[in-house]
Amino acid sequence: MKTCPICGGKAVGRIGVDQYYCWDCLLEFNGKNEVFAIAEDGTLVAYNPQEGLR
Ligand SMILES: [Zn+2]
């Protein structure tokens, strides 16, 4: 089962081919552990776990 690369939790839903959503972090990520935040207008914004949201 897929776990969240940010929090390591299992509250992860599959939302597409190789795309997942963490309900705890409210962030999207893919199989390469690239993480995206969802902006208010619905677009995806690259998210760096070290830097947080810019
Ligand atoms: Zn998470």
Side-chain angles (χ1 to χ4, degrees):
M1 187 180 178
K2 197 77 184 164
T3 55
C4 173
I6 308 299
C7 67
K10 293 191 174 73
V12 169
R14 190 167 179 222
I15 56 170
V17 177
D18 210 31
Q19 280 192 296
Y20 306 88
Y21 184 81
C22 177
W23 293 99
D24 286 335
C25 303
L26 306 179
L27 292 171
E28 253 185 72
F29 59 96
N30 62 25
K32 290 183 283 188
N33 284 353
E34 295 170 332
V35 184
F36 304 92
I38 301 159
E40 280 178 30
D41 62 1
T43 57
L44 291 179
V45 182
Y47 178 88
N48 185 325
Q50 275 79 49
E51 295 175 14
L53 279 176
R54 276 164 288 175

mmCIF file of all heavy atoms in Angstrom:
data_model
loop_
_atom_site.group_PDB
_atom_site.id
_atom_site.type_symbol
_atom_site.label_atom_id
_atom_site.label_comp_id
_atom_site.label_asym_id
_atom_site.label_seq_id
_atom_site.Cartn_x
_atom_site.Cartn_y
_atom_site.Cartn_z
ATOM 1 N N MET A 1 0.828 -1.202 0.000
ATOM 2 C CA MET A 1 0.000 0.000 0.000
ATOM 3 C C MET A 1 0.865 1.256 0.000
ATOM 4 O O MET A 1 1.913 1.302 0.633
ATOM 5 C CB MET A 1 -0.916 -0.004 1.234
ATOM 6 C CG MET A 1 -1.921 1.140 1.221
ATOM 7 S SD MET A 1 -2.965 1.115 2.680
ATOM 8 C CE MET A 1 -3.944 2.590 2.379
ATOM 9 N N LYS A 2 0.429 2.253 -0.730
ATOM 10 C CA LYS A 2 1.169 3.506 -0.844
ATOM 11 C C LYS A 2 1.070 4.297 0.460
ATOM 12 O O LYS A 2 0.004 4.386 1.052
ATOM 13 C CB LYS A 2 0.564 4.320 -1.981
ATOM 14 C CG LYS A 2 1.453 5.437 -2.468
ATOM 15 C CD LYS A 2 2.568 4.924 -3.337
ATOM 16 C CE LYS A 2 3.497 6.073 -3.716
ATOM 17 N NZ LYS A 2 4.772 5.600 -4.239
ATOM 18 N N THR A 3 2.180 4.851 0.869
ATOM 19 C CA THR A 3 2.162 5.745 2.021
ATOM 20 C C THR A 3 2.621 7.134 1.592
ATOM 21 O O THR A 3 3.305 7.298 0.585
ATOM 22 C CB THR A 3 3.079 5.243 3.150
ATOM 23 O OG1 THR A 3 4.381 5.057 2.629
ATOM 24 C CG2 THR A 3 2.570 3.930 3.723
ATOM 25 N N CYS A 4 2.259 8.120 2.385
ATOM 26 C CA CYS A 4 2.572 9.504 2.069
ATOM 27 C C CYS A 4 4.065 9.770 2.260
ATOM 28 O O CYS A 4 4.622 9.433 3.302
ATOM 29 C CB CYS A 4 1.747 10.412 2.977
ATOM 30 S SG CYS A 4 2.185 12.139 2.834
ATOM 31 N N PRO A 5 4.734 10.387 1.262
ATOM 32 C CA PRO A 5 6.166 10.678 1.417
ATOM 33 C C PRO A 5 6.438 11.791 2.416
ATOM 34 O O PRO A 5 7.573 11.971 2.842
ATOM 35 C CB PRO A 5 6.600 11.077 0.006
ATOM 36 C CG PRO A 5 5.365 11.593 -0.634
ATOM 37 C CD PRO A 5 4.222 10.805 -0.046
ATOM 38 N N ILE A 6 5.414 12.542 2.780
ATOM 39 C CA ILE A 6 5.610 13.654 3.711
ATOM 40 C C ILE A 6 5.450 13.178 5.151
ATOM 41 O O ILE A 6 6.339 13.336 5.974
ATOM 42 C CB ILE A 6 4.596 14.788 3.429
ATOM 43 C CG1 ILE A 6 4.619 15.185 1.963
ATOM 44 C CG2 ILE A 6 4.873 15.981 4.343
ATOM 45 C CD1 ILE A 6 5.932 15.706 1.473
ATOM 46 N N CYS A 7 4.305 12.597 5.461
ATOM 47 C CA CYS A 7 4.022 12.227 6.850
ATOM 48 C C CYS A 7 4.166 10.728 7.081
ATOM 49 O O CYS A 7 4.138 10.273 8.227
ATOM 50 C CB CYS A 7 2.616 12.692 7.238
ATOM 51 S SG CYS A 7 1.288 11.837 6.377
ATOM 52 N N GLY A 8 4.335 9.960 6.015
ATOM 53 C CA GLY A 8 4.463 8.514 6.162
ATOM 54 C C GLY A 8 3.165 7.823 6.506
ATOM 55 O O GLY A 8 3.160 6.635 6.805
ATOM 56 N N GLY A 9 2.066 8.575 6.476
ATOM 57 C CA GLY A 9 0.776 8.020 6.847
ATOM 58 C C GLY A 9 0.139 7.215 5.735
ATOM 59 O O GLY A 9 0.613 7.198 4.603
ATOM 60 N N LYS A 10 -0.942 6.573 6.103
ATOM 61 C CA LYS A 10 -1.635 5.707 5.152
ATOM 62 C C LYS A 10 -2.976 6.278 4.707
ATOM 63 O O LYS A 10 -3.739 5.596 4.034
ATOM 64 C CB LYS A 10 -1.847 4.323 5.770
ATOM 65 C CG LYS A 10 -0.540 3.572 6.002
ATOM 66 C CD LYS A 10 -0.827 2.112 6.346
ATOM 67 C CE LYS A 10 0.461 1.298 6.444
ATOM 68 N NZ LYS A 10 1.231 1.622 7.664
ATOM 69 N N ALA A 11 -3.248 7.520 5.079
ATOM 70 C CA ALA A 11 -4.499 8.152 4.662
ATOM 71 C C ALA A 11 -4.342 8.683 3.242
ATOM 72 O O ALA A 11 -4.469 9.867 2.975
ATOM 73 C CB ALA A 11 -4.867 9.265 5.627
ATOM 74 N N VAL A 12 -4.022 7.755 2.346
ATOM 75 C CA VAL A 12 -3.677 8.118 0.981
ATOM 76 C C VAL A 12 -4.713 7.547 0.026
ATOM 77 O O VAL A 12 -5.053 6.369 0.102
ATOM 78 C CB VAL A 12 -2.268 7.583 0.627
ATOM 79 C CG1 VAL A 12 -1.983 7.718 -0.853
ATOM 80 C CG2 VAL A 12 -1.222 8.319 1.450
ATOM 81 N N GLY A 13 -5.221 8.393 -0.839
ATOM 82 C CA GLY A 13 -6.162 7.946 -1.852
ATOM 83 C C GLY A 13 -5.538 8.052 -3.226
ATOM 84 O O GLY A 13 -4.767 8.972 -3.505
ATOM 85 N N ARG A 14 -5.867 7.105 -4.090
ATOM 86 C CA ARG A 14 -5.381 7.163 -5.463
ATOM 87 C C ARG A 14 -6.326 8.029 -6.268
ATOM 88 O O ARG A 14 -7.537 7.806 -6.269
ATOM 89 C CB ARG A 14 -5.309 5.753 -6.036
ATOM 90 C CG ARG A 14 -4.595 5.698 -7.362
ATOM 91 C CD ARG A 14 -4.263 4.269 -7.742
ATOM 92 N NE ARG A 14 -3.604 4.245 -9.039
ATOM 93 C CZ ARG A 14 -3.869 3.360 -9.991
ATOM 94 N NH1 ARG A 14 -4.746 2.403 -9.785
ATOM 95 N NH2 ARG A 14 -3.241 3.418 -11.137
ATOM 96 N N ILE A 15 -5.794 9.024 -6.953
ATOM 97 C CA ILE A 15 -6.655 9.934 -7.703
ATOM 98 C C ILE A 15 -6.414 9.849 -9.189
ATOM 99 O O ILE A 15 -7.078 10.516 -9.962
ATOM 100 C CB ILE A 15 -6.468 11.396 -7.235
ATOM 101 C CG1 ILE A 15 -5.005 11.812 -7.337
ATOM 102 C CG2 ILE A 15 -6.967 11.569 -5.803
ATOM 103 C CD1 ILE A 15 -4.809 13.296 -7.116
ATOM 104 N N GLY A 16 -5.448 9.056 -9.621
ATOM 105 C CA GLY A 16 -5.200 8.924 -11.044
ATOM 106 C C GLY A 16 -4.085 7.937 -11.267
ATOM 107 O O GLY A 16 -3.623 7.297 -10.342
ATOM 108 N N VAL A 17 -3.664 7.847 -12.537
ATOM 109 C CA VAL A 17 -2.561 6.948 -12.859
ATOM 110 C C VAL A 17 -1.302 7.501 -12.206
ATOM 111 O O VAL A 17 -0.848 8.589 -12.540
ATOM 112 C CB VAL A 17 -2.375 6.836 -14.390
ATOM 113 C CG1 VAL A 17 -1.172 5.949 -14.711
ATOM 114 C CG2 VAL A 17 -3.634 6.276 -15.024
ATOM 115 N N ASP A 18 -0.782 6.774 -11.230
ATOM 116 C CA ASP A 18 0.441 7.177 -10.537
ATOM 117 C C ASP A 18 0.275 8.499 -9.802
ATOM 118 O O ASP A 18 1.223 9.235 -9.600
ATOM 119 C CB ASP A 18 1.604 7.262 -11.539
ATOM 120 C CG ASP A 18 2.940 6.956 -10.869
ATOM 121 O OD1 ASP A 18 2.944 6.163 -9.912
ATOM 122 O OD2 ASP A 18 3.951 7.516 -11.305
ATOM 123 N N GLN A 19 -0.945 8.826 -9.402
ATOM 124 C CA GLN A 19 -1.185 10.061 -8.649
ATOM 125 C C GLN A 19 -1.957 9.725 -7.397
ATOM 126 O O GLN A 19 -2.935 8.967 -7.428
ATOM 127 C CB GLN A 19 -1.983 11.055 -9.493
ATOM 128 C CG GLN A 19 -1.137 11.818 -10.488
ATOM 129 C CD GLN A 19 -1.924 12.977 -11.058
ATOM 130 O OE1 GLN A 19 -2.913 12.783 -11.731
ATOM 131 N NE2 GLN A 19 -1.480 14.189 -10.774
ATOM 132 N N TYR A 20 -1.526 10.319 -6.300
ATOM 133 C CA TYR A 20 -2.104 10.011 -5.001
ATOM 134 C C TYR A 20 -2.353 11.298 -4.228
ATOM 135 O O TYR A 20 -1.779 12.338 -4.514
ATOM 136 C CB TYR A 20 -1.154 9.104 -4.202
ATOM 137 C CG TYR A 20 -0.759 7.867 -4.958
ATOM 138 C CD1 TYR A 20 0.346 7.882 -5.806
ATOM 139 C CD2 TYR A 20 -1.508 6.693 -4.853
ATOM 140 C CE1 TYR A 20 0.705 6.747 -6.528
ATOM 141 C CE2 TYR A 20 -1.153 5.573 -5.570
ATOM 142 C CZ TYR A 20 -0.048 5.602 -6.406
ATOM 143 O OH TYR A 20 0.303 4.491 -7.123
ATOM 144 N N TYR A 21 -3.218 11.186 -3.215
ATOM 145 C CA TYR A 21 -3.571 12.344 -2.400
ATOM 146 C C TYR A 21 -3.537 11.947 -0.939
ATOM 147 O O TYR A 21 -4.113 10.921 -0.557
ATOM 148 C CB TYR A 21 -4.978 12.816 -2.787
ATOM 149 C CG TYR A 21 -5.423 14.065 -2.085
ATOM 150 C CD1 TYR A 21 -4.998 15.310 -2.539
ATOM 151 C CD2 TYR A 21 -6.275 14.011 -0.986
ATOM 152 C CE1 TYR A 21 -5.399 16.469 -1.902
ATOM 153 C CE2 TYR A 21 -6.680 15.171 -0.344
ATOM 154 C CZ TYR A 21 -6.242 16.399 -0.807
ATOM 155 O OH TYR A 21 -6.636 17.548 -0.181
ATOM 156 N N CYS A 22 -2.843 12.754 -0.129
ATOM 157 C CA CYS A 22 -2.807 12.481 1.300
ATOM 158 C C CYS A 22 -3.843 13.345 2.002
ATOM 159 O O CYS A 22 -3.803 14.574 1.908
ATOM 160 C CB CYS A 22 -1.414 12.768 1.871
ATOM 161 S SG CYS A 22 -1.357 12.513 3.658
ATOM 162 N N TRP A 23 -4.744 12.694 2.714
ATOM 163 C CA TRP A 23 -5.811 13.410 3.407
ATOM 164 C C TRP A 23 -5.304 14.094 4.664
ATOM 165 O O TRP A 23 -5.962 14.994 5.188
ATOM 166 C CB TRP A 23 -6.952 12.455 3.754
ATOM 167 C CG TRP A 23 -7.644 11.953 2.529
ATOM 168 C CD1 TRP A 23 -7.445 10.760 1.901
ATOM 169 C CD2 TRP A 23 -8.637 12.639 1.748
ATOM 170 N NE1 TRP A 23 -8.238 10.682 0.781
ATOM 171 C CE2 TRP A 23 -8.989 11.800 0.681
ATOM 172 C CE3 TRP A 23 -9.254 13.895 1.870
ATOM 173 C CZ2 TRP A 23 -9.928 12.175 -0.276
ATOM 174 C CZ3 TRP A 23 -10.201 14.257 0.918
ATOM 175 C CH2 TRP A 23 -10.526 13.399 -0.141
ATOM 176 N N ASP A 24 -4.164 13.665 5.174
ATOM 177 C CA ASP A 24 -3.596 14.314 6.361
ATOM 178 C C ASP A 24 -2.855 15.587 5.982
ATOM 179 O O ASP A 24 -3.019 16.627 6.605
ATOM 180 C CB ASP A 24 -2.649 13.348 7.092
ATOM 181 C CG ASP A 24 -3.415 12.258 7.830
ATOM 182 O OD1 ASP A 24 -4.590 12.502 8.170
ATOM 183 O OD2 ASP A 24 -2.846 11.187 8.052
ATOM 184 N N CYS A 25 -2.029 15.501 4.929
ATOM 185 C CA CYS A 25 -1.231 16.662 4.503
ATOM 186 C C CYS A 25 -2.004 17.546 3.535
ATOM 187 O O CYS A 25 -1.612 18.688 3.323
ATOM 188 C CB CYS A 25 0.048 16.200 3.819
ATOM 189 S SG CYS A 25 1.076 15.115 4.811
ATOM 190 N N LEU A 26 -3.058 17.014 2.927
ATOM 191 C CA LEU A 26 -3.790 17.721 1.882
ATOM 192 C C LEU A 26 -2.857 18.075 0.713
ATOM 193 O O LEU A 26 -2.897 19.174 0.175
ATOM 194 C CB LEU A 26 -4.483 18.983 2.433
ATOM 195 C CG LEU A 26 -5.398 18.745 3.635
ATOM 196 C CD1 LEU A 26 -6.018 20.048 4.106
ATOM 197 C CD2 LEU A 26 -6.500 17.726 3.303
ATOM 198 N N LEU A 27 -2.005 17.107 0.378
ATOM 199 C CA LEU A 27 -1.057 17.293 -0.712
ATOM 200 C C LEU A 27 -1.172 16.126 -1.682
ATOM 201 O O LEU A 27 -1.548 15.020 -1.301
ATOM 202 C CB LEU A 27 0.373 17.343 -0.173
ATOM 203 C CG LEU A 27 0.740 18.563 0.679
ATOM 204 C CD1 LEU A 27 2.103 18.338 1.320
ATOM 205 C CD2 LEU A 27 0.742 19.825 -0.152
ATOM 206 N N GLU A 28 -0.842 16.405 -2.929
ATOM 207 C CA GLU A 28 -0.787 15.375 -3.953
ATOM 208 C C GLU A 28 0.635 14.911 -4.154
ATOM 209 O O GLU A 28 1.574 15.685 -4.008
ATOM 210 C CB GLU A 28 -1.286 15.965 -5.275
ATOM 211 C CG GLU A 28 -2.648 15.485 -5.687
ATOM 212 C CD GLU A 28 -2.995 16.014 -7.053
ATOM 213 O OE1 GLU A 28 -2.417 15.542 -8.054
ATOM 214 O OE2 GLU A 28 -3.852 16.894 -7.115
ATOM 215 N N PHE A 29 0.808 13.665 -4.541
ATOM 216 C CA PHE A 29 2.145 13.202 -4.909
ATOM 217 C C PHE A 29 2.010 12.091 -5.921
ATOM 218 O O PHE A 29 0.930 11.535 -6.132
ATOM 219 C CB PHE A 29 2.937 12.750 -3.679
ATOM 220 C CG PHE A 29 2.295 11.630 -2.902
ATOM 221 C CD1 PHE A 29 2.663 10.310 -3.130
ATOM 222 C CD2 PHE A 29 1.342 11.905 -1.946
ATOM 223 C CE1 PHE A 29 2.078 9.281 -2.418
ATOM 224 C CE2 PHE A 29 0.743 10.877 -1.227
ATOM 225 C CZ PHE A 29 1.115 9.560 -1.459
ATOM 226 N N ASN A 30 3.142 11.782 -6.580
ATOM 227 C CA ASN A 30 3.110 10.718 -7.571
ATOM 228 C C ASN A 30 4.085 9.612 -7.189
ATOM 229 O O ASN A 30 4.716 9.648 -6.124
ATOM 230 C CB ASN A 30 3.386 11.280 -8.968
ATOM 231 C CG ASN A 30 4.772 11.913 -9.082
ATOM 232 O OD1 ASN A 30 5.685 11.568 -8.340
ATOM 233 N ND2 ASN A 30 4.916 12.837 -10.004
ATOM 234 N N GLY A 31 4.229 8.634 -8.067
ATOM 235 C CA GLY A 31 5.057 7.473 -7.772
ATOM 236 C C GLY A 31 6.532 7.790 -7.634
ATOM 237 O O GLY A 31 7.291 6.998 -7.092
ATOM 238 N N LYS A 32 6.945 8.954 -8.139
ATOM 239 C CA LYS A 32 8.335 9.381 -8.000
ATOM 240 C C LYS A 32 8.517 10.249 -6.759
ATOM 241 O O LYS A 32 9.557 10.868 -6.577
ATOM 242 C CB LYS A 32 8.764 10.168 -9.248
ATOM 243 C CG LYS A 32 8.885 9.274 -10.473
ATOM 244 C CD LYS A 32 9.377 10.048 -11.694
ATOM 245 C CE LYS A 32 8.249 10.870 -12.285
ATOM 246 N NZ LYS A 32 8.632 11.484 -13.580
ATOM 247 N N ASN A 33 7.457 10.304 -5.920
ATOM 248 C CA ASN A 33 7.474 11.093 -4.690
ATOM 249 C C ASN A 33 7.682 12.586 -4.959
ATOM 250 O O ASN A 33 8.221 13.300 -4.128
ATOM 251 C CB ASN A 33 8.518 10.571 -3.696
ATOM 252 C CG ASN A 33 8.047 9.303 -3.006
ATOM 253 O OD1 ASN A 33 6.897 8.887 -3.172
ATOM 254 N ND2 ASN A 33 8.908 8.669 -2.251
ATOM 255 N N GLU A 34 7.260 13.025 -6.131
ATOM 256 C CA GLU A 34 7.178 14.462 -6.371
ATOM 257 C C GLU A 34 5.868 14.937 -5.764
ATOM 258 O O GLU A 34 4.816 14.356 -6.027
ATOM 259 C CB GLU A 34 7.214 14.752 -7.875
ATOM 260 C CG GLU A 34 8.543 14.372 -8.515
ATOM 261 C CD GLU A 34 8.503 14.432 -10.027
ATOM 262 O OE1 GLU A 34 7.420 14.237 -10.607
ATOM 263 O OE2 GLU A 34 9.558 14.661 -10.627
ATOM 264 N N VAL A 35 5.961 15.994 -4.960
ATOM 265 C CA VAL A 35 4.805 16.425 -4.179
ATOM 266 C C VAL A 35 4.274 17.737 -4.736
ATOM 267 O O VAL A 35 5.035 18.607 -5.140
ATOM 268 C CB VAL A 35 5.193 16.581 -2.692
ATOM 269 C CG1 VAL A 35 3.966 16.937 -1.859
ATOM 270 C CG2 VAL A 35 5.823 15.288 -2.184
ATOM 271 N N PHE A 36 2.960 17.849 -4.743
ATOM 272 C CA PHE A 36 2.305 19.046 -5.254
ATOM 273 C C PHE A 36 1.244 19.494 -4.269
ATOM 274 O O PHE A 36 0.506 18.679 -3.713
ATOM 275 C CB PHE A 36 1.640 18.772 -6.609
ATOM 276 C CG PHE A 36 2.596 18.233 -7.636
ATOM 277 C CD1 PHE A 36 2.766 16.875 -7.790
ATOM 278 C CD2 PHE A 36 3.332 19.091 -8.429
ATOM 279 C CE1 PHE A 36 3.655 16.365 -8.729
ATOM 280 C CE2 PHE A 36 4.226 18.592 -9.372
ATOM 281 C CZ PHE A 36 4.378 17.238 -9.526
ATOM 282 N N ALA A 37 1.198 20.797 -4.060
ATOM 283 C CA ALA A 37 0.095 21.375 -3.306
ATOM 284 C C ALA A 37 -0.982 21.804 -4.303
ATOM 285 O O ALA A 37 -0.695 22.051 -5.468
ATOM 286 C CB ALA A 37 0.581 22.569 -2.500
ATOM 287 N N ILE A 38 -2.199 21.862 -3.835
ATOM 288 C CA ILE A 38 -3.297 22.278 -4.697
ATOM 289 C C ILE A 38 -3.679 23.707 -4.334
ATOM 290 O O ILE A 38 -4.086 23.979 -3.211
ATOM 291 C CB ILE A 38 -4.490 21.325 -4.548
ATOM 292 C CG1 ILE A 38 -4.054 19.907 -4.925
ATOM 293 C CG2 ILE A 38 -5.645 21.785 -5.418
ATOM 294 C CD1 ILE A 38 -4.949 18.839 -4.366
ATOM 295 N N ALA A 39 -3.490 24.610 -5.289
ATOM 296 C CA ALA A 39 -3.785 26.017 -5.048
ATOM 297 C C ALA A 39 -5.296 26.225 -4.990
ATOM 298 O O ALA A 39 -6.084 25.352 -5.358
ATOM 299 C CB ALA A 39 -3.158 26.875 -6.138
ATOM 300 N N GLU A 40 -5.678 27.408 -4.532
ATOM 301 C CA GLU A 40 -7.102 27.699 -4.362
ATOM 302 C C GLU A 40 -7.853 27.625 -5.685
ATOM 303 O O GLU A 40 -9.043 27.314 -5.708
ATOM 304 C CB GLU A 40 -7.271 29.095 -3.751
ATOM 305 C CG GLU A 40 -7.057 29.095 -2.243
ATOM 306 C CD GLU A 40 -7.188 30.491 -1.662
ATOM 307 O OE1 GLU A 40 -7.954 31.287 -2.227
ATOM 308 O OE2 GLU A 40 -6.528 30.773 -0.647
ATOM 309 N N ASP A 41 -7.167 27.924 -6.783
ATOM 310 C CA ASP A 41 -7.833 27.861 -8.084
ATOM 311 C C ASP A 41 -7.779 26.466 -8.699
ATOM 312 O O ASP A 41 -8.174 26.263 -9.837
ATOM 313 C CB ASP A 41 -7.240 28.895 -9.037
ATOM 314 C CG ASP A 41 -5.753 28.657 -9.312
ATOM 315 O OD1 ASP A 41 -5.197 27.677 -8.776
ATOM 316 O OD2 ASP A 41 -5.162 29.450 -10.052
ATOM 317 N N GLY A 42 -7.246 25.498 -7.940
ATOM 318 C CA GLY A 42 -7.271 24.120 -8.405
ATOM 319 C C GLY A 42 -6.031 23.687 -9.158
ATOM 320 O O GLY A 42 -5.917 22.520 -9.526
ATOM 321 N N THR A 43 -5.091 24.597 -9.373
ATOM 322 C CA THR A 43 -3.879 24.217 -10.071
ATOM 323 C C THR A 43 -2.888 23.576 -9.092
ATOM 324 O O THR A 43 -2.961 23.780 -7.891
ATOM 325 C CB THR A 43 -3.209 25.436 -10.737
ATOM 326 O OG1 THR A 43 -2.943 26.408 -9.740
ATOM 327 C CG2 THR A 43 -4.103 26.023 -11.805
ATOM 328 N N LEU A 44 -1.977 22.805 -9.651
ATOM 329 C CA LEU A 44 -0.979 22.137 -8.838
ATOM 330 C C LEU A 44 0.283 22.993 -8.741
ATOM 331 O O LEU A 44 0.745 23.545 -9.734
ATOM 332 C CB LEU A 44 -0.622 20.775 -9.444
ATOM 333 C CG LEU A 44 -1.719 19.722 -9.386
ATOM 334 C CD1 LEU A 44 -1.240 18.446 -10.044
ATOM 335 C CD2 LEU A 44 -2.140 19.453 -7.968
ATOM 336 N N VAL A 45 0.811 23.067 -7.543
ATOM 337 C CA VAL A 45 2.016 23.849 -7.294
ATOM 338 C C VAL A 45 3.060 22.904 -6.715
ATOM 339 O O VAL A 45 2.780 22.178 -5.765
ATOM 340 C CB VAL A 45 1.732 24.988 -6.291
ATOM 341 C CG1 VAL A 45 2.976 25.838 -6.079
ATOM 342 C CG2 VAL A 45 0.570 25.837 -6.758
ATOM 343 N N ALA A 46 4.268 22.915 -7.307
ATOM 344 C CA ALA A 46 5.330 22.051 -6.798
ATOM 345 C C ALA A 46 5.593 22.359 -5.337
ATOM 346 O O ALA A 46 5.658 23.520 -4.925
ATOM 347 C CB ALA A 46 6.604 22.248 -7.614
ATOM 348 N N TYR A 47 5.747 21.319 -4.551
ATOM 349 C CA TYR A 47 5.911 21.466 -3.107
ATOM 350 C C TYR A 47 7.222 20.826 -2.701
ATOM 351 O O TYR A 47 7.474 19.660 -2.998
ATOM 352 C CB TYR A 47 4.743 20.796 -2.389
ATOM 353 C CG TYR A 47 4.837 20.840 -0.886
ATOM 354 C CD1 TYR A 47 4.331 21.925 -0.182
ATOM 355 C CD2 TYR A 47 5.402 19.790 -0.173
ATOM 356 C CE1 TYR A 47 4.407 21.970 1.194
ATOM 357 C CE2 TYR A 47 5.468 19.825 1.206
ATOM 358 C CZ TYR A 47 4.976 20.924 1.884
ATOM 359 O OH TYR A 47 5.050 20.961 3.234
ATOM 360 N N ASN A 48 8.059 21.608 -2.036
ATOM 361 C CA ASN A 48 9.333 21.088 -1.544
ATOM 362 C C ASN A 48 9.199 20.832 -0.041
ATOM 363 O O ASN A 48 9.007 21.767 0.723
ATOM 364 C CB ASN A 48 10.440 22.114 -1.826
ATOM 365 C CG ASN A 48 11.810 21.580 -1.435
ATOM 366 O OD1 ASN A 48 11.948 20.852 -0.456
ATOM 367 N ND2 ASN A 48 12.813 21.933 -2.194
ATOM 368 N N PRO A 49 9.281 19.568 0.367
ATOM 369 C CA PRO A 49 9.075 19.259 1.787
ATOM 370 C C PRO A 49 10.085 19.970 2.689
ATOM 371 O O PRO A 49 9.794 20.225 3.854
ATOM 372 C CB PRO A 49 9.275 17.741 1.865
ATOM 373 C CG PRO A 49 9.063 17.261 0.474
ATOM 374 C CD PRO A 49 9.506 18.383 -0.431
ATOM 375 N N GLN A 50 11.274 20.280 2.150
ATOM 376 C CA GLN A 50 12.269 20.962 2.971
ATOM 377 C C GLN A 50 11.914 22.442 3.148
ATOM 378 O O GLN A 50 12.151 23.020 4.196
ATOM 379 C CB GLN A 50 13.661 20.840 2.345
ATOM 380 C CG GLN A 50 14.393 19.559 2.722
ATOM 381 C CD GLN A 50 13.894 18.378 1.914
ATOM 382 O OE1 GLN A 50 13.787 18.456 0.705
ATOM 383 N NE2 GLN A 50 13.581 17.280 2.577
ATOM 384 N N GLU A 51 11.377 23.034 2.095
ATOM 385 C CA GLU A 51 11.114 24.470 2.131
ATOM 386 C C GLU A 51 9.692 24.788 2.545
ATOM 387 O O GLU A 51 9.405 25.894 2.986
ATOM 388 C CB GLU A 51 11.357 25.081 0.747
ATOM 389 C CG GLU A 51 12.795 25.011 0.289
ATOM 390 C CD GLU A 51 12.953 25.528 -1.132
ATOM 391 O OE1 GLU A 51 12.016 26.166 -1.640
ATOM 392 O OE2 GLU A 51 14.008 25.271 -1.736
ATOM 393 N N GLY A 52 8.799 23.852 2.360
ATOM 394 C CA GLY A 52 7.394 24.151 2.595
ATOM 395 C C GLY A 52 6.825 24.966 1.446
ATOM 396 O O GLY A 52 7.448 25.094 0.388
ATOM 397 N N LEU A 53 5.664 25.510 1.652
ATOM 398 C CA LEU A 53 5.029 26.270 0.587
ATOM 399 C C LEU A 53 5.706 27.624 0.430
ATOM 400 O O LEU A 53 6.001 28.311 1.393
ATOM 401 C CB LEU A 53 3.540 26.493 0.916
ATOM 402 C CG LEU A 53 2.644 25.311 0.605
ATOM 403 C CD1 LEU A 53 1.235 25.630 1.059
ATOM 404 C CD2 LEU A 53 2.645 24.999 -0.878
ATOM 405 N N ARG A 54 5.950 27.965 -0.841
ATOM 406 C CA ARG A 54 6.568 29.246 -1.099
ATOM 407 C C ARG A 54 5.514 30.311 -1.329
ATOM 408 O O ARG A 54 4.411 30.007 -1.730
ATOM 409 C CB ARG A 54 7.475 29.153 -2.323
ATOM 410 C CG ARG A 54 8.852 28.620 -1.941
ATOM 411 C CD ARG A 54 9.604 28.167 -3.174
ATOM 412 N NE ARG A 54 9.029 26.929 -3.685
ATOM 413 C CZ ARG A 54 9.427 26.342 -4.828
ATOM 414 N NH1 ARG A 54 10.326 26.884 -5.543
ATOM 415 N NH2 ARG A 54 8.875 25.218 -5.213
HETATM 416 ZN ZN ZN B 1 0.737 12.956 4.415
#
